[in-house]
Amino acid sequence: MSTDTIYLDHAASTPLDEAVLEAMMPYLTEHHGNPSSVHRWGRQARVAVEEARERVARCIGAEPSEVVFTSGATEANNWVLRKRMADAGAGAHFITSTVEHEAVLEPASDLERAGYRVTRLQPDRYGGIAPEQVEDALIADTALVSLMHVNNETGVRTDIAAIAEICRAHGVALHSDTVQSMGLLQNDMRELGVDYATISAHKLYGPKGVGALYVRGGSALPPLIEGGSQERDQRGGTENVAGMVGLSVALERAYERAPEEAPRLRTLQSDLMQRIEDTLGDAVVCNTPPGPDHRAPHIVNVAVPPQNGEGLDGEMLILNLDMKGILASAGSACTSGTLTPSHVLSGIGLDNATAAAAVRFSLGRDTTSDHLTRAVEVLHDTISRMRG
């Protein structure tokens, strides 16, 4: 990456930690045995897989038997929703929110088309869901609740532990997509109280294409992928040994660094929000909660409302930032050439024009105060120039 390029898109993906790559390399070059083989090279690979599982379990406060490796968070989310609800039977009730990741929302729509009843809770101004909303939505045949711990666009934290208590009292299973909180918030499954939790390696300075699913003891799921006895008959297919090792080392390093890294990011985040307010004022709307206790420490989302009835082109806003060396994400997604406002930002009440002109800055290990100073300067100049 060029030295004049500032990467502020860590919520989308993080650079691979050199120590993680080093741990993976033997399984990409020398130790190529299949973990299902009984010869010594196969046994060597099997040991690496089980050591990786134990490493993940230690980090998240789980038993190794409660950790199943996956290809990533999308697979894990689909697995929980589709198989848990199938077990509950047609017509069972499912609760989620309108601001979840598409890997939850799209399976939810499939479930609804298949005859299941789906309740989508409406979030607060920043995308959070209150425990009381969940309790009010529960009915006799509610089988599953799925709510993300930290919203990937606004950074708001939902009180999953409190929701878990409510679900447990009613005998309802709880799944949480913890992709944006895992590592930074040092999640402990015993404290969160969830039945299922989703983990993704590439949000943790690990490799892409590998993740894990926490499955609380007694909450086993039918296989999503069949055709092999891998992962204790829970997920067929030859194991991604290097990826599993990479995920486990990345998670371990994230947990070790969190006591220093989370406060550092929290300070940078607060400074960034203040600089945006001081520099841009009413020219932008901040969609990240003002209170540090209600947000993850690495995400700041702002949107540009229309001026004199004319909104900004959100895609051009991001491209213009890119041209000035600031790599960030839009609060909108470009699909088949059509710019569609983010369902999260629309879900928290922004009008389409404002939601379509949003920027998410997400901070990481290499982010400095000087980077954020430059980002705010470029954002201010870019908005001014685009408004003419």
Side-chain angles (χ1 to χ4, degrees), residues 166-308:
I166 293 168
C167 289
R168 192 160 46 247
H170 289 81
V172 174
L174 174 62
H175 163 254
S176 186
D177 182 333
T178 61
V179 164
Q180 292 295 340
S181 65
M182 190 62 70
L184 272 179
L185 300 185
Q186 293 180 293
N187 293 334
D188 186 305
M189 296 301 106
R190 292 164 296 197
E191 294 176 3
L192 278 185
V194 297
D195 297 281
Y196 309 101
T198 301
I199 305 170
S200 178
H202 76 105
K203 312 292 188 179
L204 296 159
Y205 303 86
K208 296 176 178 65
V210 62
L213 177 64
Y214 164 75
V215 181
R216 184 179 59 80
S219 302
L221 295 164
L224 179 66
I225 299 174
E226 298 180 288
S229 59
Q230 292 85 357
E231 293 299 282
R232 300 180 176 89
D233 296 316
Q234 291 180 283
R235 183 184 187 271
T238 302
E239 295 92 338
N240 175 5
V241 180
M244 293 169 178
V245 170
L247 165 60
S248 68
V249 173
L251 186 63
E252 185 176 63
R253 286 177 61 78
Y255 270 66
E256 289 171 350
R257 297 176 66 134
E260 294 182 0
E261 182 66 0
R264 186 186 76 86
L265 291 178
R266 192 168 288 112
T267 297
L268 288 175
Q269 179 192 47
S270 296
D271 289 348
L272 174 58
M273 293 173 74
Q274 188 63 54
R275 289 178 191 182
I276 290 173
E277 182 179 346
D278 293 344
T279 305
L280 289 151
D282 294 338
V284 297
V285 175
C286 185
N287 304 307
T288 297
D293 293 339
H294 300 291
R295 65 190 189 222
H298 64 304
I299 294 174
V300 174
N301 185 301
V302 295
V304 186
Q307 188 177 71
N308 300 321

Side-chain angles (χ1 to χ4, degrees), residues 279-285 303-313 351-355 357 380-388:
T279 305
L280 289 151
D282 294 338
V284 297
V285 175
V304 186
Q307 188 177 71
N308 300 321
E310 185 174 347
L312 291 189
D313 182 324
D351 61 84
N352 285 348
T354 303
H380 176 267
D381 293 347
T382 299
I383 292 173
S384 299
R385 186 173 65 256
M386 289 181 70
R387 281 182 166 168

